[in-house]
Amino acid sequence: MGTPQKENESKGFFSAMSSRFSVFSNAMTRSVNGLLGYEGVEVINPDGGKDDVDDEVQRGRWKPEERDGYWKMMQNYIGADVTSLVTLPVIIFEPMTMLQKMAELMEYSHLLDQADQSEDPYMQLVYASSWAISVYFAYQRTWKPFNPILGETYELTNHNGITFLAEQVSHHPPMSAGHAENEHFTYDVTSKLKTKFLGNSVDVYPVGRTRVTLKKHGVVLDLVPPPTKVNNLIFGRTWIDSPGEMIMTNLTTGDKAVLYFQQCGWFGAGRYEVDGYVYNSSEEPKILMTGKWNQSMNYQPCDSEGEPLPNTELKEVWHIADVPPNDKFQYTHFAHKLNSFDTAPRKLLASDSRLRPDRYALEMGDLSKSGTEKSSLEERQRAEKRAREEKGQKFAPRWFELTEEVTSTPWGDLEIYQYNGKYAEYRAAADNSGSIDNVDVKSIEFNPWQFADLATE
C-alpha cells in the first residue's frame, strides 16, 4: 500500500506501508540488467527475487531457438515505439482485436449505472473509479490482441442495455475511437497507444482521453490511467504491471479520485494493490479506497487526515466475477462473449472484428491459417492505401469525426475524435426494418473498406 496524500505528506491510513514497498520495488527493477550477456535484457520473476533469474529465463513461452532468433531481430528496436513498427508472429496473439479489448471495459458497466443513480458526489467517484479499475483483471493477459485494420469496427449489444461501437480511425499513428451509451451514461474515448521497447520489456503509455457523462445530473468524469509495463517479452514468463497513478476527475465539481497502483516488488510484494482517496475540490480526503485490481475494491469514509471515521467499516464496491478454469487465453466469461455473435446486433457491419479470418482461425486453434490470413489482410491494407494515394483520396472514418480539439496528456498531445451520431441512425434503421435477415453472420466476408468515406484531397 502507498500513501495517496497530497503534496507527498506522510500521513493517513496507508502511510505506514509505503516506504517499505517502494524499497522492494526499486530493488527488484535494478537486479538483473545485463543477464546472460544480452545487452539491454532485464528478466524479472514477479514471484521471487534476484537469485531466481537464471531459472526464470527458461520459463517463457518461446522455444530456445525461436527465442534467440527473435531477440536478434528485436534488439534493433530498443528504445523505439513498436506499436505498429514490427510484424509479430501469431503465436503470441490472442483471438481478439484491440477494438474488442476496448469493449472489455463494459463488463462491469453496472458500476456506472450505480454512479449515475447516486446522489453523493463522492460515491459517484467511488463507483466510477472502481469501474475503471475493474478492467485491469482483463489487461493482465499476456497475449497480444490483433492491431485493427483501418476502418475496422466492433459492435456490442445485449449487455446491460448498452450500445457500444469502436472504430479504427487512423493507421499511422494507430488510433481508435469508441462510444457507448445506455439510459444512465455515455462513454467516449479516443485512444492512441505509445510504446517504448526496452529489450525484454515494453512500456505502454495510454495516450488517450476518456470521458464519462452521468445522465441524471449531467456530471462529466475524466479518466487518466497509469502506464503499463509488459515484462519478460522474450526471456522468462511474460507478466504485466501498471505501477503509477490513476486520476478520475469530476469536471463538473472539481472533486477527484486519486488511486495508486503499487509496483510489484520482490516475492510479489505489493503486486495488484491499489490504494487512494476521493478528494473534494479543496483536496481534502473524503473517502479512502483500497483493494486489489485482480480481486476487489473497498471504500470507507475518512477524516481530513485520511483516517477512517469512527463507527464505519470497509465496504466492498466491486469484485471480479467467476472466471472459466484453465482457460487457454485466460479469458473471462465476458471476454468469450465479445467473440460471440450472440452479442452482435442484427445486420452486423462487415467491418466487425468478429469476422476477421485471422482472428477466427486463431480462435479455432489453426495458427498456420491465422498467420497466412494476417499477412493477407496486412498486404491488402497496404494495397488499399496505395490505391487511395494514386487517386488523391483520403480515408475518413464513418462513425467518428476528427475535431479541431487537441488535448494534452502526460505522454503527449492527442487529436480528439468525436462520435458523429450516424451509427445510432444506421442501427435504428437496421433494427426496425421489416425484413428478417436470415444470413449466417459467420459467412459475411470481412471488409473494413466497404463503408469507408473517401474524399478527394
Side-chain angles (χ1 to χ4, degrees), residues 209-229:
R209 190 182 78 176
T210 300
R211 293 279 170 86
V212 174
T213 300
L214 304 179
K215 292 184 175 182
K216 185 175 181 180
H217 298 291
V219 170
V220 180
L221 305 175
D222 178 82
L223 174 67
V224 179
T228 292
K229 189 179 187 71

Side-chain angles (χ1 to χ4, degrees), residues 353-409:
S353 296
R354 295 175 183 84
L355 302 172
R356 281 185 61 145
D358 52 354
R359 186 213 64 77
Y360 185 70
L362 183 60
E363 186 180 12
M364 295 296 102
D366 193 336
L367 271 68
S368 177
K369 183 177 181 181
S370 178
T372 300
E373 295 285 6
K374 178 175 177 287
S375 297
S376 177
L377 278 178
E378 291 168 347
E379 179 51 41
R380 185 175 177 189
Q381 180 167 232
R382 288 188 286 267
E384 293 284 343
K385 179 182 178 181
R386 289 193 297 268
R388 288 197 306 272
E389 291 175 344
E390 290 172 359
K391 296 176 182 178
Q393 294 177 327
K394 183 179 180 180
F395 173 86
R398 188 183 187 194
W399 312 111
F400 297 85
E401 296 175 351
L402 180 62
T403 70
E404 295 182 356
E405 182 179 0
V406 177
T407 190
S408 182
T409 80

Side-chain angles (χ1 to χ4, degrees), residues 128-267:
S129 60
S130 296
W131 162 78
I133 290 169
S134 68
V135 77
Y136 280 82
F137 180 82
Y139 285 174
Q140 72 178 322
R141 295 198 304 266
T142 58
W143 308 94
K144 183 189 181 303
F146 287 89
N147 287 339
I149 300 295
L150 184 63
E152 183 175 333
T153 58
Y154 180 73
E155 302 174 80
L156 173 67
T157 58
N158 304 325
H159 175 69
N160 199 25
I162 291 171
T163 298
F164 175 93
L165 173 71
E167 182 177 14
Q168 189 72 359
V169 295
S170 172
H171 183 56
H172 288 297
M175 294 182 66
S176 308
H179 175 81
E181 188 166 358
N182 71 2
E183 62 177 321
H184 291 290
F185 68 88
T186 59
Y187 160 84
D188 292 281
V189 62
T190 300
S191 175
K192 182 180 74 172
L193 293 180
K194 179 180 179 181
T195 63
K196 185 175 182 180
F197 180 63
L198 301 173
N200 198 36
S201 64
V202 61
D203 287 341
V204 182
Y205 306 101
V207 182
R209 190 182 78 176
T210 300
R211 293 279 170 86
V212 174
T213 300
L214 304 179
K215 292 184 175 182
K216 185 175 181 180
H217 298 291
V219 170
V220 180
L221 305 175
D222 178 82
L223 174 67
V224 179
T228 292
K229 189 179 187 71
V230 185
N231 299 283
N232 299 356
L233 283 172
I234 303 172
F235 300 90
R237 294 169 296 174
T238 306
W239 62 283
I240 291 174
D241 205 11
S242 295
E245 184 178 78
M246 172 185 282
I247 301 176
M248 177 170 277
T249 304
N250 183 330
L251 299 179
T252 308
T253 65
D255 304 330
K256 65 176 63 176
V258 182
L259 301 168
Y260 290 78
F261 286 57
Q262 303 298 332
Q263 185 174 14
C264 177
W266 282 355
F267 305 102

